[in-house]
Amino acid sequence: MKKVLIAATFAVCASVASAQSESELDNAAVETSEQSVSYTVVSEGSMPNGTHAITVRSNDVGENTYTKFSVSCDPYLIGVVATADSMDELSDNPNNDPIMEEIVRGSGENQIADEACGI
């Protein structure tokens, strides 16, 4: 699971204020080297301390894993807020203080942060 989270490190904040704007995307695909697995950014929006992105990891047997990332556009950082089997469960146990890591250009995290930051 740790490799999956590292390889797909995408997620953004958990408990988000109801006044925050969130937009549905046209399923922005994220490139991955994992076979029989796809990652898609399904939502992004602003938060009090930055922005967030939600991704879904789908495998060839129909299992989905949703991850919410906290993204800082300046400096360019990303951290996992929550991972769950459905979007509804993402707010059950959020990490309100995720470890923010530098984003490697060209990585999956870079693609996710670009979506969240509107790059």
Side-chain angles (χ1 to χ4, degrees), residues 13-87:
C13 272
S15 303
V16 179
S18 60
Q20 113 186 15
S21 70
E22 184 170 306
S23 63
E24 293 301 315
L25 303 175
D26 293 327
N27 294 331
V30 176
E31 294 179 28
T32 179
S33 61
E34 289 183 77
Q35 294 184 354
S36 303
V37 173
S38 66
Y39 290 91
T40 306
V41 178
V42 295
S43 178
E44 58 83 27
S46 62
M47 298 177 2
N49 61 344
T51 189
H52 77 272
I54 296 174
T55 62
V56 61
R57 176 187 184 274
S58 303
N59 63 23
D60 58 352
V61 293
E63 298 171 335
N64 295 328
T65 303
Y66 292 83
T67 304
K68 188 170 188 177
F69 295 89
S70 177
V71 178
S72 168
C73 300
D74 187 22
Y76 207 46
L77 304 170
I78 193 166
V80 175
V81 175
T83 301
D85 293 332
S86 73
M87 284 193 55

